[in-house]
Amino acid sequence: MGIISRFKDIMAANINALLDKAEDPEKMIDQTMRNLTKDLAEVKKETAAVMADENRCKRELDECNSEIAKMQAYAEKALLAGNEADAMKFLTQKNQLTAKQTSLQQTYDVAAANAMKMRQMHDKLVNDINELNSRRDAIKAKIKVAKTQQRLNELNSTITDSSSSISAFERMEAKANSMLDQANAMSELNLTEADSSVDSLAAKYDAAPDASVQSELEALKAKMGLQ
């Protein structure tokens, strides 16, 4: 009855604890259910054998009881017929059958008790398998949701990394814009300086000479014979 002992161990174990130890809980669930289904086939076979033994013992006991009743009836008929010797023979046979009946009754009681235990075990295993089948679907659904959540977490991490890259690009773009603005400002300042130099030189020649200075210049030129 090793199969029964193993079945009890499985039923006594916490199914969630078994799943915690499994690398792949989904495969563990399927393997457990395959084992239980195999166990059920063996328990069913054992139960059928024990029930057959019970039926055999019951049949032998019934036959013995029937023979006892028959010997009793023949003994009564023999007495009514005035044949005490025949009646004694029938009663002797009845006593022998009664002794056998006690042994058959004991054997049947044990067989019946074994059959009842096996039927109870069989029924419990069937119910447990049905319950675990329902739980298997629920657990598998949880596993699927968990895997989806893990995938979403991975994708979210990837998106976060992308956001960091975009942020870095934005900083580089801002820096490039700043460099361009500085270059444009410097170019504007250089252009302003060039325009100021030309404007100053032009103003030099555009300015009208002072009248007194002009007269003094003409007098000096006459004196020196430069006119």
Side-chain angles (χ1 to χ4, degrees):
M1 299 295 287
I3 180 64
I4 304 304
S5 177
R6 185 157 68 89
F7 162 67
K8 290 181 179 178
D9 290 340
I10 293 175
M11 289 299 98
N14 186 328
I15 187 68
N16 293 322
L18 292 176
L19 294 177
D20 288 341
K21 297 178 181 179
E23 294 183 1
D24 190 333
E26 194 166 0
K27 289 182 179 180
M28 178 64 180
I29 291 172
D30 291 337
Q31 184 59 49
T32 299
M33 294 309 302
R34 282 193 292 269
N35 290 343
L36 289 176
T37 301
K38 181 180 178 181
D39 292 347
L40 176 59
E42 295 186 27
V43 169
K44 185 177 293 186
K45 182 179 179 181
E46 293 283 349
T47 302
V50 172
M51 290 177 65
D53 188 52
E54 177 195 19
N55 291 334
R56 178 184 58 78
C57 292
K58 182 64 166 59
R59 184 172 61 254
E60 290 178 355
L61 178 60
D62 289 343
E63 290 174 354
C64 183
N65 289 334
S66 177
E67 285 297 313
I68 289 174
K70 186 186 296 184
M71 292 303 102
Q72 178 69 28
Y74 281 139
E76 292 175 1
K77 289 180 179 180
L79 285 176
L80 290 175
N83 297 321
E84 291 187 8
D86 290 344
M88 287 292 292
K89 292 179 180 179
F90 288 128
L91 290 175
T92 299
Q93 181 66 22
K94 174 189 173 184
N95 289 338
Q96 292 175 354
L97 290 172
T98 300
K100 181 180 179 182
Q101 178 194 44
T102 301
S103 177
L104 291 175
Q105 183 67 53
Q106 292 175 347
T107 302
Y108 169 72
D109 290 342
V110 172
N114 289 338
M116 182 179 66
K117 291 178 182 178
M118 287 301 301
R119 283 195 296 267
Q120 290 175 344
M121 189 170 295
H122 171 271
D123 294 343
K124 184 180 186 305
L125 182 55
V126 170
N127 291 333
D128 287 338
I129 288 176
N130 290 336
E131 179 184 351
L132 290 179
N133 265 322
S134 299
R135 293 179 64 188
R136 174 178 64 174
D137 295 339
I139 293 173
K140 279 192 172 185
K142 290 180 181 180
I143 292 173
K144 185 176 182 180
V145 171
K147 288 182 177 180
T148 300
Q149 185 61 51
Q150 289 175 353
R151 181 57 181 160
L152 289 176
N153 292 340
E154 293 173 358
L155 290 175
N156 185 59
S157 176
T158 301
I159 292 174
T160 301
D161 292 342
S162 298
S163 299
S164 177
S165 298
I166 292 174
S167 178
F169 267 82
E170 289 177 347
R171 290 196 300 272
M172 293 301 101
E173 184 178 15
K175 187 173 182 179
N177 289 337
S178 177
M179 292 173 63
L180 179 60
D181 290 339
Q182 290 181 17
N184 288 336
M186 184 63 69
S187 176
E188 184 176 348
L189 288 174
N190 290 337
L191 181 61
T192 299
E193 288 180 1
D195 291 344
S196 177
S197 177
V198 172
D199 290 343
S200 297
L201 183 61
K204 175 182 177 182
Y205 290 98
D206 289 339
D210 185 83
S212 59
V213 174
Q214 184 68 33
S215 298
E216 187 176 356
L217 176 63
E218 291 297 331
L220 182 58
K221 286 168 62 177
K223 183 180 178 179
M224 296 174 64
L226 297 176
Q227 291 183 337

